[in-house]
């Protein structure tokens, strides 16, 4: 991921143009004259902002003087609320005061106080705030957070992770609770149909698009910082769902208990996954729960699901809360990577689904590698139980695996959509939200339907239910969890035909009842500070990485339910506009989504740290240059490099976590090391082992590196596998007179892991197309819906594993590394064969067609397929007699005619790879066949970039390949395989080199992939 510029401040500093301070001016004749003079000053400062960047001015647009009062004892200048639509620092407040004193002149005696206030609303019904109260700083946030009586926090978080190998995350969000709400979703419409709430445009729909920020990026970042995150939408895209309960379970699953479990006298879940529930049911009131005293060493419950297909599943737990329950109950989760223990606080979060983590499971029912075990032994005693002289208990209910399909039937009809695609209303109902206090049974149908209105209310009330602060029933019992912050994420910020919209951060100073304080007494100005930090971080990161003219938007005190209803610090973020073309040039790029999510995560960390009086520490970025090599005798050495975040000095790693896997997918709990080097011993001969590494510090854990693999064999020289595919980007841009949009047929881009929220290809590129309605005729940008129930696999960063498995099947030993480690010489050894994975690597320029405000002048062309230092080393390798396999979809294009192509790259293509020319889009059916019968004895026909199991399994085996190359080889090269439809060359060999115009890791069936690499290795090594 991109690095960051230097931030050398001790507190948040929002840098705007400083104002010049003139000499003492003549005193105004009256308050009206003073008001006019200040108004002139405002216009003078606003005029300094560059065109299109009006929010960069010292005074925001529409700023006006509401009142001026000058008396002998001092003066007061009151601005309207537009004055507050940007972030103010104390330094800027002092600058402003100095200028106002100069304007007031002799009317204000030297040393006399000058108060600056901001009026929200009109003079008659507005509220005035001193400027110092709305200045966003460490001191202000801490003071205002301390002014009330925040809910008492248990020393035991909702979910604890004792197996986490890194340091305590006390500078991050350890033990904090954050609520994330990502837009709308499928909703039951008043015209008796399920419907999205927004139009399908530019390949996405806003109902799901914010989840492409929150689910793969923001939520994991907050959890990596130590937080418990409660998502108001299903977070698991796994369509399989299995529920195992003490009252019953899904077919072929198993619940087993021993010891003194008895009926707890509290309701719970009932049985397995319901086929359908009405929107008026409360599913956690249908069944029972069990309990046992912590003194019973024999009391345990085991949940064994029948997993429908191998893959990654979220594990969520439920129990019935009460104060005499244990605040820390161990839960063992057995998965393909080993056993992971989490601890849950059963005094809170009852009768809902509590996220415990994502884990890899095999198909079928297997207790050793796919189960959950809860035991009374090892649970912590309850202080209240001790005071009451009763036994501390452990409560058990249901365990849920996977996300599943929606099964809430509004209008007697389920949606037929994945649960993650449905509105938060249905997830909250499935998660036990009470109808009377959180989700009204009926609401005004409005323009869309009663469920639409219920969903809007629910989004603001669900955090209150967690927090014990419901608006509709303030004395009702909630889930007893202090919520530190809530963020509602949307992407509907406006429209500008030629410009950039940017980000809008919304807060609310007045709540549902008209109060300016939270129920616990804290000022709702904390909402403004959270919004200010989010706005600041987004602008700072965007200006550092994307555009020096990034368009700042205002902070808005807006009367929206998601800003008004929550009774804890809350921000409603409108990031970009999903129907604004230039915004989506950034929004469809996973690099941008990562950076914006990290910006929001940092804002939340900073806010919570300031509010609670500790110094924020930010999680590091993922390491780079990962390599693993065998050193003989069952030992291997891993090396990597830290990546600094210059925007955040505290984001320096204090150490690293090395994760190990037998299959490259399911990893163990990690090993902590403090240097960027790790020696592993005890490796079995002829067994493949894979690794990935994260960086960590007191602020949390980074995202992981790509996966590398190693296999040693006695007496065998290893091959080297290099992952040269790290590209992630958005789809191809069309920006011509009369045509605009995103052409996935030319290049769909590459997602990070998978592309979330994709609905289908754009079909309307005509700039004059006008909106008629959201369903059939949304106008310019209109997109199909064929992909909206699925994920599109992108860069999973585990390509080495697929190649490693093929070489292992053929008996080869191997080391592996990322391309950076090869390029800079970290991997020094000479190898008899190098297998270079180019995948869909391709030089990717910045977004086209943006020349004004928001132009991507901070971006550069990235992801060159074979950079100059790589070419130099590979040339030496081949000239020294080493063999080379290169496979990828854009190798010839990038070397010969790509954006970074030059004489050296073209010479490398010709002299090293034996490539005279190339042709793109060489096949329509992605099949490859041998050139003749003799070749077929060594190489069998196969297909690539297509999946055998899709759509049965949500996780495709391979990523799709939309384009492949054919070659015009030089005379020394032999055409070995051709595309099945066009008969164009697909694989050529000669002079110790093999070049494939398709990504080998996407070849299926797997046996064909293994046979292909085995044949190439044997032939190349024999020469």
């Amino acid at each position: 991921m991109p690095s960051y510029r230097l931030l050398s401040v001790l507190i948040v500093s929002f840098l705007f143009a400083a104002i010049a301070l003139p000499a003492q001016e003549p005193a105004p004749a009256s308050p009206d004259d003073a008001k006019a003079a200040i108004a002139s000053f405002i216009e003078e400062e606003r005029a300094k902002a560059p065109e299109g960047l009006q929010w960069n001015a010292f005074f925001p647009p529409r700023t006006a003087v509401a009142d001026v009062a000058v008396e002998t004892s001092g003066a007061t200048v009151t601005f309207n609320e537009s004055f507050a639509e940007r972030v103010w620092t104390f330094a800027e407040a002092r600058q402003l005061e100095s200028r106002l004193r100069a304007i007031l002149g002799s009317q204000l005696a030297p040393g006399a106080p000058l108060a600056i206030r901001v009026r929200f609303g009109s003079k008659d019904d507005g509220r005035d705030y001193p400027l110092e109260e709305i200045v966003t700083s460490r001191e202000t946030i801490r003071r205002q957070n301390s002014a009330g009586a925040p809910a008492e926090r248990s020393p035991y978080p909702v979910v604890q992770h004792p197996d986490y190998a890194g340091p305590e995350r006390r500078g991050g969000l350890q033990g904090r609770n954050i609520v994330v709400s990502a837009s709308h979703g499928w909703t039951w419409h008043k015209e008796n149909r399920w419907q999205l709430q927004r139009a399908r445009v530019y390949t996405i729909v806003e109902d799901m698009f914010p989840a492409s920020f929150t689910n793969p990026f923001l939520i994991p970042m907050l959890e990596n910082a130590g937080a418990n995150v409660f998502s108001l939408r299903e977070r698991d895209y796994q369509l399989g769902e299995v529920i195992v309960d003490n009252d019953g379970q899904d077919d072929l699953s198993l619940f087993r208990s021993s010891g003194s479990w008895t009926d707890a006298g509290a309701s719970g879940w009932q049985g397995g996954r319901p086929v359908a529930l009405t929107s008026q049911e409360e599913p956690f009131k249908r069944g029972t729960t069990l309990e046992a005293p912590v003194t019973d060493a024999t009391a345990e419950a085991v949940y064994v699901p029948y997993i429908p297909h191998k893959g990654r599943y979220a594990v969520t737990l439920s129990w019935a809360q009460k104060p005499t329950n244990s605040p820390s109950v161990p839960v063992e989760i057995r998965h393909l990577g080993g056993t992971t223990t989490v601890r849950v606080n059963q005094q809170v979060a009852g009768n809902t689904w509590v996220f415990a983590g994502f884990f890899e499971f095999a198909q079928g029912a297997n207790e050793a590698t796919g189960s959950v075990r809860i035991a009374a032994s090892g649970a912590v005693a309850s202080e209240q139980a001790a005071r009451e002289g009763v036994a501390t208990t452990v409560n058990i209910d249901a365990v849920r695996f996977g996300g599943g399909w929606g099964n809430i039937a509004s209008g007697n009809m389920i949606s037929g959509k994945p649960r993650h695609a449905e509105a938060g209303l249905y997830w909250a109902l499935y998660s036990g939200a009470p109808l009377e206090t959180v989700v009204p049974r009926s609401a005004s149908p409005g323009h869309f339907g009663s469920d639409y209105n219920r969903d809007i209310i629910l989004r603001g009330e669900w955090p209150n239910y967690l927090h014990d602060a419901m608006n509709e029933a303030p004395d009702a019992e909630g889930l007893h969890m202090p919520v530190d912050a809530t963020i509602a994420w949307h992407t509907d910020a406006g429209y500008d035909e030629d410009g950039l919209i940017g980000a809008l951060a919304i807060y609310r100073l007045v709540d549902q009842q008209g109060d300016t304080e939270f129920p616990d007494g804290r000022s709702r100005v904390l909402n403004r500070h959270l919004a200010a930090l989010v706005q600041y971080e987004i602008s700072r990161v965007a200006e550092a990485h994307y555009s020096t003219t990034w368009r700042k938007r205002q902070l808005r005190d807006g009367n929206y339910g998601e800003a008004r209803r929550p009774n804890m610090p809350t921000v409603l973020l409108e990031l970009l506009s999903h129907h604004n073309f230039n915004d989506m040039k950034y929004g469809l790029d996973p690099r941008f989504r990562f950076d914006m999510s990290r910006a929001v995560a940092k804002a939340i960390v900073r806010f919570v740290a300031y509010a609670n009086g500790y110094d924020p520490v930010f999680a590091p970025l993922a390491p780079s240059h990962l390599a693993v090599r065998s050193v003989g005798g069952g030992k291997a050495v891993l090396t990597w490099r830290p990546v600094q975040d210059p925007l955040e000095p505290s984001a320096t790693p204090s150490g690293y976590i090395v994760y190990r896997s037998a299959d490259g997918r399911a990893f163990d709990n990690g090993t902590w090391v403090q240097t960027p080097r790790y020696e592993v011993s005890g490796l079995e001969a002829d067994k493949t082992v894979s690794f990935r590494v994260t960086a960590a510090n007191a602020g949390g854990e980074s995202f992981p590196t790509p996966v590398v693999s190693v296999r040693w064999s006695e007496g065998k020289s290893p091959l080297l596998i290099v992952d040269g595919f790290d590209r992630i980007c958005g789809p191809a841009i069309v920006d011509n007179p009369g045509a605009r949009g995103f052409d996935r047929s030319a290049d769909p881009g590459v997602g990070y892991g998978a592309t979330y929220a994709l609905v289908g290809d754009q079909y309307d590129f005509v700039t004059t197309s006008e909106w008629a309605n959201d369903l059939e005729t949304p106008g310019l940008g209109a997109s199909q819906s064929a992909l909206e129930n699925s994920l599109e696999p992108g860069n999973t960063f585990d390509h080495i594993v697929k190649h490693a498995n093929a070489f292992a099947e053929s008996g080869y030993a191997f080391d592996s590394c990322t391309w950076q480690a090869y390029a800079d010489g970290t991997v020094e050894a000479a190898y008899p064969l190098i297998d270079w994975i180019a995948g869909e690597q391709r030089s990717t320029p910045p977004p086209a067609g943006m020349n004004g405000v928001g132009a991507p002048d901070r971006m550069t062309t990235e992801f060159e397929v074979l950079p100059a230092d790589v070419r130099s080393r590979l040339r030496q390798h081949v000239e020294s007699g080493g063999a080379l396999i290169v496979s990828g979809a854009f190798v010839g294009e990038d070397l010969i005619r790509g954006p970074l192509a030059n004489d050296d790259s073209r010479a490398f293509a010709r002299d090293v790879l034996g490539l005279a020319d190339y042709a793109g889009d060489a096949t329509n059916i992605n099949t490859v066949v041998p050139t003749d019968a003799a070749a077929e004895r060594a190489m069998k026909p196969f297909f690539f970039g297509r999946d055998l199991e899709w759509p049965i399994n949500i996780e495709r085996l391979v990523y799709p390949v939309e384009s492949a190359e054919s070659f015009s080889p030089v005379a020394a090269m032999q055409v070995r395989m051709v595309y099945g439809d066009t008969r164009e060359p697909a694989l050529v060999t000669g002079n110790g080199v093999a070049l494939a115009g398709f990504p080998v890791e996407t070849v299926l069936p797997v046996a064909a992939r293994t046979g292909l690499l085995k044949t190439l290795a044997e032939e190349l090594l024999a020469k």
Side-chain angles (χ1 to χ4, degrees):
M1 293 298 172
S3 59
Y4 294 78
R5 284 187 302 155
L6 180 62
L7 169 67
S8 56
V9 292
L10 299 178
I11 64 172
V12 176
S13 61
F14 303 84
L15 303 179
F16 293 84
I19 57 175
L21 301 182
Q24 188 82 351
E25 298 182 4
S30 67
D32 286 343
D33 291 340
K35 196 172 181 179
I38 296 172
S40 296
F41 163 47
I42 292 171
E43 292 306 312
E44 170 191 327
E45 290 299 324
R46 287 183 55 195
K48 295 178 181 178
E51 184 177 355
L53 298 175
Q54 63 270 32
W55 297 101
N56 288 16
F58 193 75
F59 291 106
R62 300 181 299 277
T63 298
V65 184
D67 199 10
V68 176
V70 182
E71 301 176 357
T72 55
S73 58
T76 301
V77 177
T78 304
F79 292 93
N80 69 348
E81 63 183 274
S82 294
F83 171 90
E85 290 183 341
R86 67 93 139 176
V87 183
W88 286 90
T89 66
F90 280 121
E92 292 165 338
R94 287 192 292 270
Q95 288 180 327
L96 177 60
E97 180 183 353
S98 297
R99 182 63 184 263
L100 292 178
R101 284 185 179 277
I103 290 173
L104 293 174
S106 60
Q107 278 200 1
L108 185 62
L114 171 61
I116 303 173
R117 302 182 68 84
V118 185
R119 178 172 298 153
F120 291 83
S122 67
K123 185 174 183 180
D124 295 330
D125 61 4
R127 300 173 188 270
D128 288 1
Y129 289 86
L131 176 57
E132 56 267 24
E133 289 301 303
I134 68 168
V135 166
T136 298
S137 72
R138 179 195 303 263
E139 293 80 6
T140 308
I141 294 172
R142 176 59 178 157
R143 182 179 68 252
Q144 292 172 350
N145 192 63
S146 303
E152 183 179 352
R153 185 180 299 277
S154 167
Y156 298 96
V158 182
V159 179
Q160 307 159 67
H161 299 275
D163 289 341
Y164 174 62
E168 288 195 85
R169 292 167 279 195
R170 296 191 179 277
L173 296 171
Q174 183 164 299
R176 302 288 167 177
N177 300 320
I178 309 296
V179 176
V180 175
S181 174
S183 194
H184 322 119
W186 285 90
T187 308
W188 180 252
H189 194 274
K190 66 182 180 182
E191 295 180 3
N192 296 325
R193 64 173 182 264
W194 285 87
Q195 184 176 319
L196 293 169
Q197 298 179 28
R198 296 290 186 267
R200 299 176 181 93
V201 291
Y202 296 131
T203 76
I204 59 91
V205 63
E206 195 210 359
D207 297 71
M208 269 85 85
F209 185 51
S212 69
F213 293 82
T214 61
N215 288 13
F217 300 123
L218 176 64
I219 290 176
M221 288 171 181
L222 296 174
E223 290 174 335
N224 285 355
N228 291 143
V229 178
F230 292 84
S231 172
L232 194 52
R233 297 278 294 276
E234 171 61 62
R235 68 168 69 184
D236 190 2
Y237 286 74
Q238 174 60 256
L239 297 182
E241 181 186 17
V242 182
I243 298 177
V244 186
D245 180 43
N246 64 286
D247 291 319
Q249 56 278 326
D250 293 324
D251 291 344
L252 303 179
S253 298
L254 170 69
F255 172 80
R256 185 182 74 248
S257 65
S258 61
S260 56
W261 296 103
T262 59
D263 191 316
S267 65
W269 192 266
Q270 184 183 55
R273 180 187 184 277
V275 175
L277 296 165
T278 74
S279 60
Q280 304 301 326
E281 289 187 75
E282 296 177 302
F284 279 94
K285 292 184 177 180
R286 294 156 47 110
T288 66
T289 60
L290 303 177
E291 66 181 9
V294 297
T295 54
D296 182 358
T298 66
E300 73 169 24
V302 178
Y303 301 76
V304 184
Y306 184 87
I307 298 296
H309 47 253
K310 181 179 180 180
R312 189 184 83 151
Y313 291 74
V315 174
T316 50
L317 314 169
S318 67
W319 56 83
Q321 71 187 40
K322 62 180 183 179
T324 53
N325 280 350
S326 169
S328 182
V329 176
V331 178
E332 287 185 358
I333 302 170
R334 298 174 181 176
H335 52 96
L336 289 173
T339 298
T340 300
T341 298
V342 300
R343 284 183 167 269
V344 297
N345 182 350
Q346 293 192 341
Q347 296 181 348
V348 302
N351 292 135
T352 192
W353 296 117
V354 177
F355 178 76
F358 283 108
F359 302 93
E360 293 281 338
F361 297 108
Q363 184 178 20
N366 188 320
E367 183 173 338
T369 59
S371 64
V372 170
R373 175 180 176 270
I374 304 175
S377 176
V380 173
S382 160
E383 293 181 1
Q384 181 161 334
R387 288 194 299 269
E388 296 179 1
V390 299
T392 297
T393 54
V394 169
N395 185 280
I396 58 171
D397 189 17
V399 179
R400 177 172 168 263
F401 303 81
W405 294 82
N407 57 356
I408 303 292
S410 278
N412 297 318
M413 182 188 300
I414 61 175
S415 69
K417 305 297 179 183
R419 194 186 310 283
H420 67 79
E422 292 184 338
L425 166 68
Y426 310 107
W427 165 245
L429 289 170
Y430 200 59
S431 300
L435 289 169
E436 300 299 333
T437 57
V438 179
V439 187
R441 288 185 182 271
S442 62
S444 169
H447 74 283
F448 203 93
S450 60
D451 274 13
Y452 172 84
N453 288 351
R454 295 173 76 199
D455 183 52
I456 292 175
I457 295 170
L458 178 278
R459 282 184 245 144
E461 293 299 333
W462 172 255
N464 295 336
Y465 173 58
L466 302 178
H467 193 65
D468 288 338
M470 285 84 82
N471 288 314
E472 308 303 323
D475 297 327
E477 183 179 24
L479 299 190
H480 302 332
M481 292 186 294
V483 175
D484 295 270
T486 295
I487 179 168
W489 196 313
H490 295 263
T491 56
D492 194 10
Y495 181 75
D496 185 335
E497 182 175 351
D498 297 311
L500 184 75
I501 295 299
L504 172 67
I506 299 171
Y507 62 95
R508 188 61 177 163
L509 295 178
V510 179
D511 71 5
Q512 189 76 5
Q513 286 76 36
D515 295 331
T516 58
E517 293 179 342
F518 295 122
D520 59 21
R522 292 179 295 167
S523 171
R524 288 180 64 90
V525 176
L526 288 168
N527 286 346
R528 174 186 163 79
H529 297 315
L530 176 57
L533 290 172
V534 168
Q535 181 71 291
Y536 163 69
E537 293 288 357
I538 286 174
S539 296
R540 184 165 69 108
V541 171
E543 289 173 354
H545 296 298
Y546 297 94
S547 175
T548 56
T549 57
W550 172 263
R551 186 183 179 194
K552 294 185 179 76
R553 295 288 305 281
Q554 70 266 45
L555 298 175
R556 178 186 295 172
D557 180 17
N559 189 20
Y560 298 89
E562 286 176 279
R564 179 184 68 248
R565 285 181 172 272
N567 288 317
M568 71 288 296
T570 300
V571 59
L572 169 56
L573 174 63
E574 294 278 8
L575 178 66
L576 306 177
S577 177
H578 60 273
H579 49 75
N580 199 64
F581 179 48
N582 284 330
D583 284 46
M584 294 307 295
K585 291 177 181 178
Y586 289 125
L588 295 182
D589 192 328
R591 292 171 292 180
F592 182 86
R593 294 201 290 263
F594 175 94
D595 285 334
M596 292 299 101
S597 299
R598 182 169 167 87
V600 172
K602 288 192 295 184
I604 293 173
V605 169
R606 200 184 294 278
F607 175 83
V608 172
Y610 289 174
N612 292 279
Y614 62 89
D615 291 332
V617 179
F618 301 99
L621 295 169
S624 66
H625 294 73
L626 181 63
V628 60
R629 61 185 179 88
S630 170
V631 293
K635 295 182 179 180
V637 174
L638 284 91
T639 57
W640 59 89
R641 291 185 184 179
V643 174
Q644 297 298 323
D645 180 349
L647 279 180
E648 302 294 352
S650 72
T652 298
S654 58
Y656 308 89
I657 304 175
V658 179
Y659 293 93
R660 177 172 172 170
S661 172
D663 65 359
R665 282 182 58 96
F667 286 85
D668 66 8
N669 296 317
T671 300
W672 174 251
V673 299
Q674 292 184 291
T675 60
R677 185 181 187 277
Y678 177 64
E679 183 174 306
V680 58
S681 59
L683 298 180
E684 292 185 54
D686 303 320
K687 290 289 182 67
T688 302
V689 182
S690 297
F691 301 90
R692 65 185 184 192
V693 179
T694 62
N697 61 14
E701 184 180 12
S702 74
F703 276 32
T705 63
V707 181
V708 294
S709 303
V710 65
R711 183 177 188 267
W712 75 281
S713 296
E714 196 69 51
K716 291 184 179 179
S717 297
L719 316 178
L720 179 65
I721 309 172
V722 183
D723 188 350
F725 175 27
D726 62 352
R727 175 179 175 235
I728 56 173
C729 66
I733 294 170
V734 176
D735 195 351
N736 302 315
R740 280 184 156 187
F742 301 93
D743 185 1
R744 286 173 41 82
S745 65
D747 186 352
V750 183
Y752 181 92
T755 299
Y756 294 71
L758 182 68
V759 297
D761 294 350
Q762 181 178 338
Y763 64 83
D764 190 338
F765 290 81
V766 180
T767 56
T768 56
S769 292
E770 295 184 356
W771 178 91
N773 59 67
D774 283 345
L775 289 180
E776 291 87 12
T777 316
L780 173 63
S783 300
Q784 298 169 350
S785 61
L787 301 175
E788 65 191 12
N789 290 341
S790 62
L791 303 182
E792 181 175 74
N795 197 331
T796 52
F797 300 96
D798 60 354
H799 318 296
I800 283 174
V801 175
K802 294 181 174 64
H803 286 241
N805 290 341
F807 284 120
E809 281 289 318
S810 304
Y812 288 100
F814 46 79
D815 299 338
S816 62
C817 66
T818 61
W819 73 264
Q820 296 93 339
Y822 181 82
D824 73 351
T826 298
V827 178
E828 298 178 352
Y831 289 88
L833 182 147
I834 294 176
D835 173 32
W836 193 277
I837 303 169
E840 292 192 308
Q841 195 81 344
R842 182 186 203 179
S843 295
T844 305
M850 298 175 68
N851 302 313
V853 170
D857 55 351
R858 288 288 191 186
M859 299 182 72
T860 59
T861 298
E862 295 187 77
F863 309 121
E864 186 178 7
V865 72
L866 293 171
D869 44 4
V870 168
R871 297 195 299 268
S872 176
R873 292 202 67 198
L874 289 179
R875 182 185 289 273
Q876 293 175 10
H877 167 78
V878 172
E879 290 177 350
S880 300
L884 175 64
I885 301 172
V886 177
S887 61
F890 304 107
V891 176
E893 171 195 294
D894 221 51
L895 291 171
I896 296 174
R897 297 188 185 87
L900 300 178
N902 55 32
D903 289 344
D904 180 76
S905 68
R906 286 183 280 270
F908 179 89
R910 181 186 63 251
D911 301 338
V912 178
L913 299 184
L915 181 58
D917 206 351
Y918 81 97
D921 295 322
T923 176
N924 294 316
I925 61 174
N926 287 21
T927 60
V928 176
V929 298
T931 53
D932 54 41
E936 188 170 349
R937 287 194 292 271
M939 299 177 181
K940 302 298 182 183
F942 54 79
F943 58 89
F944 63 90
R946 294 163 49 198
D947 207 312
L948 290 170
E949 294 193 11
W950 184 259
I952 299 171
N953 190 343
I954 186 65
E955 299 184 83
R956 294 187 185 183
L957 298 175
V958 299
Y959 60 85
V961 178
E962 298 79 11
S963 177
E965 290 185 331
S966 64
F967 303 125
S968 299
V970 299
M973 303 295 285
Q974 178 185 1
V975 176
R976 304 295 304 283
M977 303 191 82
V978 296
Y979 295 109
D981 51 347
T982 63
R983 311 302 293 180
E984 294 294 327
L987 173 69
V988 296
T989 63
N991 293 335
V993 173
L995 176 63
F998 51 88
V1000 166
E1001 62 274 13
T1002 70
V1003 167
L1004 289 176
V1006 172
R1009 184 193 309 158
T1010 299
L1012 174 63
L1013 286 176
K1014 177 182 179 181
T1015 298
L1016 292 177
E1018 288 176 348
E1019 291 182 0
L1020 294 172
L1021 292 173
K1023 296 182 178 180

